[in-house]
Amino acid sequence: MTTLADTSHTPPAADLMHIERWNDPLVVARSDADTDEALMFLTPVLGPTSTLVLHRLARALNSGGPLCWTLADLAATFGVSLGQIDRTIDRLERFGYARRDGFTLAVRTTVPPLTRRHVERLPVYLAAAYAATESER
């Protein structure tokens, strides 16, 4: 029998991921992470899941402020397992779009220009579109 005082069904505090904006004064922003442009150019670089997670978290942070989700809810939001969401966060960290410190995840809401190496790996039509947008800036 569960009573109001029974907390066995409440996720432990360690299961919560605090998500906050990562403001890095050393990075010159090219665009916001929650734009169609970011989706278009980052997907071939980060992969679809990492790009979608970055996009959604940036949109949520730009709409409010710090967020607090359980890892299970974060994984379910994107239709992936807990292991996959952990690997996705690791990938965002490796590419410099997120920074994890314990159960706090700082996420870039703006993205820097792609490196030359990443631009060279884009499909030809996306590399041309990227170059065109760069020349407009």
Side-chain angles (χ1 to χ4, degrees), residues 99-117:
R99 181 182 60 206
R100 186 172 10 192
D101 182 17
F103 283 91
T104 298
L105 180 67
V107 177
R108 292 191 190 281
T109 56
T110 58
V111 295
L114 294 178
T115 65
R116 189 180 81 216
R117 180 176 147 252

Side-chain angles (χ1 to χ4, degrees), residues 70-121:
T70 65
L71 292 175
D73 283 344
L74 187 59
T77 296
F78 299 100
V80 299
S81 68
L82 284 171
Q84 180 63 42
I85 200 68
D86 195 49
R87 288 187 297 276
T88 297
I89 292 169
D90 286 346
R91 187 167 180 84
L92 288 171
E93 282 188 287
R94 269 194 316 278
F95 281 83
Y97 292 98
R99 181 182 60 206
R100 186 172 10 192
D101 182 17
F103 283 91
T104 298
L105 180 67
V107 177
R108 292 191 190 281
T109 56
T110 58
V111 295
L114 294 178
T115 65
R116 189 180 81 216
R117 180 176 147 252
H118 289 141
V119 173
E120 289 170 353
R121 293 179 178 207

